[in-house]
Amino acid sequence: MFDQVLFFFNALLQQTGAANFTGGNLVMIIIGGTMIYLAIAKHYEPLLLIGIGFSCIVANVPGPPDVPGGPPVSALLYVVKEGGLFHYAYEGVAKLIIPPLIFLGVGAMTDFGPMIANPKLVILGAGAHLGIFVALILAKLVGFSISEAGAIGIIGGADGPMAIFVTVKLAPHLLGPISVAAYSYMALMPMIQPPVMKMLTTPAERRIEMAQIRKVSKLEKIIFPAVIAIIVNLFFPPVAPLITMLMLGNLLKEVGVTERLAKTAGGPLMNMIIMILTVAIGSTMAADKFLTWDTILIVGLGLLAFLFGTASGVVTAKIMNLFLRNKINPLIGSAGIASVPIAARVSHIVANQANPHNHLIFHAMGPNLAGVFGTAISGGIMLALLGVQ
Amino acid sequence: MIPDTVYGAILLSVIDFFLSFLVISGIGFVLALFPYLNQLGTIDEKKLREGGH
């Protein structure tokens, strides 16, 4: 009788995920929980971290094996595998449908005025990308192929859709860890960037107040998307789909006669894509796939890329100050790393802590927007040099 | 095109970083010309919005 009860209890246990729970699952659940905590308590990019953190937790709650004796499959992985709801979401990421749509939405929400108004600051959009190349060389040194190293390096561009786009072209098998690293670090920039920014600047530099920039006319804002789309399609066809959609979204916003479309692209469409994208990314964080040596290396290299990118942006701004009559606050250099508008917000907050009268957000948006183009240009050149269409 | 070696990674990085600076400077130059567009005339934003859908 007792043996029978024990047998049935054991059989019941095997039907649940409890028997398959591992220490790795616990680690990943804690990571997912930390993401949700940071989003709620610290307001670190909740739109990204809530979805990634939640699906990371669920992806690490093991279910029963799919086939007798096989590996455990979580409920989330059932909806991610072929035929499931989020299978198509993940396919949207892997088949490069979602990244251009994200850029359409970003374009429809973005005012490029600060970038047009202060063209000399666009150089910071290239200066803050040293991290890409530091990570690329280090990745090659630790044994990744040059294509994999390029995809890992692009994490340093701090541009999620671009990181996905370049990774799918160069090393699609690394899409999970690279997109997780890119989006997680983007969300955690308020923690990652300030120590580097403060280490490389003096209190006097952080207090520098910048002169008000000129007002950009509607005509300039309408012509801008067309000019950029022509330049990118002409010289950087590998990344043209993303920038073209960014510029289309921006044109919809600026022309004033397609307000409905701009609102849809930047509102409901963008919100739907964020929900799909964050679940698709978080679902790749199952412990057995995520807690591997390669993933740990990628996450570590991604962090280095962000740190070096932040540092090189600040140093570029300081070098520019050697030649400029009206000094710029070097804190806006770190905004050149892209990740709109998170990096610009970090520049503003750090400057505001040093000088409560300092409102750098508008100035920092210039290099921040230029950083989007900087990442696209770096990615485009990389794809061209590696012979990828 | 680029060898799959550490030398290749360094070469790729140097070329890419240098060209990125060059291209983004070019974009900066084009943007510096934008104020001249205003000599073509102005756009009445209110009228633009009135024609919206």
Side-chain angles (χ1 to χ4, degrees):
Chain A
M1 169 75 177
F2 181 73
D3 282 352
Q4 260 186 327
V5 170
L6 206 62
F7 174 79
F8 283 122
F9 183 73
N10 193 38
L12 188 67
L13 193 67
Q14 293 305 320
Q15 291 297 312
T16 72
N20 302 305
F21 196 80
T22 65
N25 291 135
L26 182 64
V27 171
M28 294 308 294
I29 287 174
I30 292 170
I31 291 174
T34 307
M35 286 179 170
I36 294 176
Y37 166 77
L38 290 172
I40 297 170
K42 304 280 181 184
H43 296 185
Y44 289 168
E45 299 310 313
L47 296 182
L48 297 176
L49 285 187
I50 293 287
I52 296 176
F54 179 77
S55 42
C56 170
I57 290 173
V58 182
N60 283 284
V61 179
D66 209 8
V67 287
V73 179
S74 80
L76 190 67
L77 293 183
Y78 274 111
V79 291
V80 170
K81 71 180 189 176
E82 196 163 355
L85 172 65
F86 279 98
H87 167 70
Y88 300 102
Y90 195 77
E91 284 295 290
V93 176
K95 291 199 178 340
L96 298 179
I97 297 166
I98 287 182
L101 287 176
I102 296 174
F103 264 55
L104 177 76
V106 171
M109 292 191 297
T110 305
D111 176 8
F112 282 91
M115 182 178 157
I116 302 169
N118 208 345
K120 64 176 177 286
L121 295 184
V122 299
I123 203 83
L124 295 168
H129 284 94
L130 185 70
I132 292 177
F133 308 110
V134 171
L136 191 159
I137 294 169
L138 288 176
K140 185 63 210 161
L141 276 171
V142 297
F144 288 100
S145 74
I146 197 156
S147 294
E148 291 171 336
I152 294 166
I154 214 74
I155 298 172
D159 185 332
M162 190 60 73
I164 291 170
F165 190 85
V166 173
T167 302
V168 168
K169 298 260 182 183
L170 289 179
H173 55 287
L174 297 182
L175 184 59
I178 288 179
S179 49
V180 167
Y183 276 99
S184 302
Y185 288 142
M186 278 164 61
L188 297 175
M189 277 169 95
M191 285 171 80
I192 297 170
Q193 287 195 303
V196 181
M197 295 159 75
K198 287 176 184 169
M199 194 177 75
L200 292 172
T201 51
T202 63
E205 284 174 323
R206 292 198 287 275
R207 282 195 294 269
I208 292 175
E209 287 182 36
M210 292 175 65
Q212 200 171 357
I213 54 180
R214 75 177 178 90
K215 189 178 183 302
V216 175
S217 71
K218 197 65 173 173
L219 180 64
E220 291 174 78
K221 287 183 180 179
I222 289 175
I223 290 178
F224 173 80
V227 169
I228 294 293
I230 290 170
I231 292 174
V232 172
N233 277 274
L234 204 57
F235 296 107
F236 302 100
V239 290
L242 291 188
I243 300 298
T244 304
M245 292 299 274
L246 179 76
M247 292 297 97
L248 173 62
N250 190 241
L251 187 63
L252 294 175
K253 171 185 181 291
E254 296 298 349
V255 288
V257 291
T258 50
E259 203 180 338
R260 265 170 51 190
L261 300 183
K263 276 186 176 168
T264 302
L269 179 65
M270 191 68 167
N271 292 342
M272 283 169 63
I273 290 169
I274 288 172
M275 285 187 275
I276 291 168
L277 181 74
T278 52
V279 174
I281 290 172
S283 66
T284 66
M285 294 176 77
D288 59 327
K289 294 188 181 68
F290 199 80
L291 290 179
T292 64
W293 184 236
D294 272 3
T295 304
I296 291 165
L297 275 176
I298 289 168
V299 171
L301 289 166
L303 179 61
L304 279 178
F306 267 64
L307 293 173
F308 273 93
T310 302
S312 67
V314 174
V315 170
T316 305
K318 289 177 76 150
I319 293 170
M320 285 175 71
N321 266 347
L322 298 175
F323 305 97
L324 292 173
R325 202 170 29 158
N326 293 325
K327 303 296 179 203
I328 58 174
N329 190 315
L331 293 175
I332 64 168
S334 61
I337 200 169
S339 190
V340 180
I342 308 169
R345 219 182 289 148
V346 174
S347 297
H348 169 76
I349 291 167
V350 177
N352 197 250
Q353 284 166 352
N355 173 5
H357 301 291
N358 220 347
H359 298 284
L360 274 191
I361 188 73
F362 203 62
H363 297 283
M365 278 305 288
N368 201 194
L369 294 166
V372 176
F373 296 105
T375 309
I377 290 163
S378 291
I381 294 170
M382 192 184 289
L383 292 173
L385 288 174
L386 292 173
V388 177
Q389 288 293 313
Chain B
M1 293 171 82
I2 297 276
D4 192 354
T5 59
V6 174
Y7 171 73
I10 295 169
L11 192 67
L12 174 65
S13 299
V14 171
I15 296 172
D16 199 336
F17 195 48
F18 174 74
L19 281 180
S20 298
F21 259 98
L22 206 66
V23 174
I24 210 121
S25 303
I27 291 176
F29 175 74
V30 172
L31 293 182
L33 301 175
F34 264 49
Y36 295 107
L37 290 170
N38 295 317
Q39 291 175 3
L40 297 173
T42 54
I43 290 177
D44 188 337
E45 290 187 42
K46 200 177 159 199
K47 271 189 182 168
L48 265 185
R49 272 195 294 272
E50 280 169 4
H53 297 280

